[in-house]
Amino acid sequence: HGVFTYDPAFTATCSTQSDITYIDGAEGILLYRGYPVDQLAENSSFLEVAYLVLYGELPTTPQLDEFVGAITQHTMLNESLSKFFDGFHYDAHPMAMMTGIVGSLSAFYHDTTDIRDDGHREIFARRMIAKMPTIAAAAYKHSVGQPKMYPRNDLDYTSNFLHMLFAVPAETYEVDPIAAKALDVLFILHADHEQNASTSTVRMAGSTGTNPYAAIASGIAALWGPAHGGANEAVLNMLGEIGDISQVPRYLEKAKDKDDPFRLMGFGHRVYKNFDPRATIIRGYCHEVLQHLGIENHPLFELAMELERIALEDDYFKERKLYPNVDFYSGIIYQALGIPINMFTSMFAIARTVGWAAHWCEMQNDPAMRIARPRQIYTGSPKRSYTPIDQR
Ligand code: CMC
């Protein structure tokens, strides 16, 4: 039967080779296609980074113009798809709606989902990146009972998203450029992270040759959990629960207590055993955004910084190399921008769609690709004979 390696939770198994993202967890380094993420956050736009992640090189001006034009052209949802939202109860979680709606995209594009066709794969990736903000904003509008806003093609990707989220038909809505820039940076920082749980899920589903939109839906489902993308929502709920700086030591003790299920959300990472470089950039942006919005002494930001300070001095966190991760500070920016807590993980999903699509496309070209099929070590009963029900 061959010899298998038992590797629960895949801490030592490389499932693939990939050219997309490089992480050095010990040094806290993150590169997309070789470019440090801090340089991209500083200089680039989300769609330029999307191009880089998908195609492997930074675009020239004509290449970027063509790409942005194509994305803009695909932002609308089919009107029948829009009606799907009406089937959800008003208090459905946006991630629940997104899992369902994105899965249903698989029923719309039969003519362009030949997964062996390069052109079809490209249209899929572009369509997916274009439609995610429209779907996320529609999920929000459904939950607050407001009419859905059509995309505006004169706005850039992130500004258009803020417009679809916050504009209402009866009123004028001006997108705040600093808010749009902050959100764009957050999207850049979440665009890819190599073989994380949701990307591995997309690859696993994709390895069977399933419809790519269905594969992305499986990634959204995996992202939702609090150990992964759901952590940004969990951090804000946790900060709310802690409530006050005076309570920080008590909650740190709870986080250290193995009999207490409480964990410090937004802390720790499977790969980073040093500062998550994304968290450092986001903390800097927190200062800038809060200052711009005139809420410098934001109580949750102060609470988060105090939590970080005390945790980093604590032996428990030092010994286990637990540092703030990407989600520790992102929620504070989302909240300052007026985005409701239950939408935070959808923000992550919009950005990570780039990585999911890039990994799905990469694997279709990989000659080593076969159906992913992990093995197991059987620990159940040995073979036994059926007992009739009256003899049990
Ligand atoms: N609070 C308290 N203790 C922790 C934490 C935490 N947040 N994270 C890890 N530990 C402890 C854990 O109890 C274990 O201790 P011991 O060795 O004594 O049993 C040790 O540190 C190693 O943890 P692990 O659970 O084996 O590590 P993992 O690689 O399986 O899990 C993680 C990584 C991110 C799921 C985990 O650190 C965690 O649950 N963090 C909180 C949730 C979170 O912020 N997730 C977002 C991750 S970054 C963005 C993303 O991926 O979406």
Side-chain angles (χ1 to χ4, degrees):
H1 295 285
V3 179
F4 303 120
T5 311
Y6 176 46
D7 182 18
F10 310 119
T11 55
T13 299
C14 299
S15 57
T16 186
Q17 301 189 42
S18 178
D19 291 346
I20 301 172
T21 288
Y22 173 79
I23 302 175
D24 181 334
E27 295 296 322
I29 293 172
L30 171 60
L31 313 176
Y32 297 159
R33 301 283 188 178
Y35 293 101
V37 73
D38 52 313
Q39 289 184 23
L40 295 169
E42 179 82 30
N43 300 298
S44 198
S45 68
F46 177 63
L47 283 190
E48 187 180 57
V49 169
Y51 185 100
L52 171 70
V53 170
L54 274 178
Y55 295 101
E57 295 297 335
L58 285 168
T60 60
T61 301
Q63 284 170 333
L64 184 61
D65 288 348
E66 189 278 330
F67 183 66
V68 171
I71 297 287
T72 307
Q73 181 202 320
H74 283 298
T75 48
M76 291 274 283
L77 299 184
N78 184 302
E79 285 296 319
S80 334
L81 187 80
S82 293
K83 294 200 186 89
F84 282 34
F85 287 95
D86 299 338
F88 287 99
H89 201 243
Y90 73 93
D91 60 357
H93 195 283
M95 286 295 280
M97 289 192 257
M98 290 185 76
T99 312
I101 300 284
V102 171
S104 73
L105 283 175
S106 57
F108 281 79
Y109 303 108
H110 304 293
D111 52 334
T112 48
T113 41
D114 177 355
I115 62 175
R116 288 154 307 178
D117 183 310
D118 274 349
H120 286 195
R121 294 201 293 255
E122 184 175 44
I123 293 179
F124 149 73
R126 291 172 169 211
R127 216 177 239 148
M128 212 47 262
I129 294 167
K131 292 191 195 304
M132 281 298 268
T134 319
I135 293 170
Y140 171 66
K141 288 298 196 192
H142 179 73
S143 70
V144 290
Q146 289 178 2
K148 295 172 196 69
M149 300 300 291
Y150 285 116
R152 264 183 54 187
N153 287 358
D154 59 318
L155 296 175
D156 65 73
Y157 187 86
T158 313
S159 301
N160 172 51
F161 173 63
L162 287 172
H163 152 79
M164 290 188 293
L165 203 57
F166 294 130
V168 283
E171 289 165 29
T172 47
Y173 172 76
E174 290 289 330
V175 179
D176 176 345
I178 297 195
K181 173 66 189 160
L183 193 55
D184 208 64
V185 168
L186 286 176
F187 284 169
I188 290 173
L189 296 176
H190 286 86
D192 192 47
H193 214 232
E194 47 117 309
Q195 308 308 321
N196 57 85
S198 58
T199 304
S200 297
T201 303
V202 171
R203 278 186 177 260
M204 171 79 92
S207 80
T208 69
T210 191
N211 180 290
Y213 299 98
I216 299 289
S218 70
I220 298 175
L223 184 73
W224 190 4
H228 192 9
N232 53 17
E233 179 175 334
V235 168
L236 254 274
N237 290 332
M238 174 188 78
L239 293 175
E241 186 187 328
I242 297 175
D244 189 81
I245 286 181
S246 65
Q247 295 299 312
V248 167
R250 188 164 78 80
Y251 276 90
L252 282 185
E253 288 312 309
K254 276 166 73 63
K256 287 152 57 173
D257 180 357
K258 299 291 170 195
D259 296 327
D260 188 325
F262 178 81
R263 275 195 166 198
L264 209 49
M265 299 314 289
F267 253 76
H269 198 276
R270 171 60 62 77
V271 185
Y272 292 117
K273 302 300 171 197
N274 199 327
F275 272 94
D276 179 336
R278 304 167 298 175
T280 315
I281 301 170
I282 294 176
R283 189 177 41 191
Y285 259 91
C286 264
H287 281 291
E288 213 170 294
V289 171
L290 297 178
Q291 201 172 15
H292 168 71
L293 296 171
I295 37 178
E296 275 144 274
N297 303 322
H298 192 285
L300 289 186
F301 187 38
E302 290 186 350
L303 181 56
M305 286 198 301
E306 182 65 2
L307 200 56
E308 174 185 333
R309 192 183 67 76
I310 301 187
L312 293 183
E313 284 173 358
D314 191 295
D315 284 343
Y316 174 96
F317 293 90
K318 279 200 235 171
E319 281 159 15
R320 290 170 182 75
K321 299 189 166 49
L322 301 170
Y323 292 88
N325 61 48
V326 66
D327 288 329
F328 192 63
Y329 288 107
S330 62
I332 292 169
I333 301 191
Y334 293 139
Q335 204 191 37
L337 300 181
I339 296 170
I341 295 178
N342 70 352
M343 281 295 290
F344 290 3
T345 311
S346 303
M347 303 294 103
F348 196 153
I350 293 173
R352 187 55 57 84
T353 297
V354 166
W356 293 331
H359 281 270
W360 183 86
C361 289
E362 183 180 63
M363 77 180 292
Q364 303 303 323
N365 280 320
D366 183 351
M369 185 191 118
R370 290 197 291 161
I371 184 168
R373 175 56 167 93
R375 303 305 299 258
Q376 65 163 16
I377 291 170
Y378 178 66
T379 54
S381 164
K383 185 179 175 195
R384 48 185 167 166
S385 295
Y386 179 81
T387 344
I389 196 161
D390 57 354
Q391 290 170 30
R392 285 173 219 157

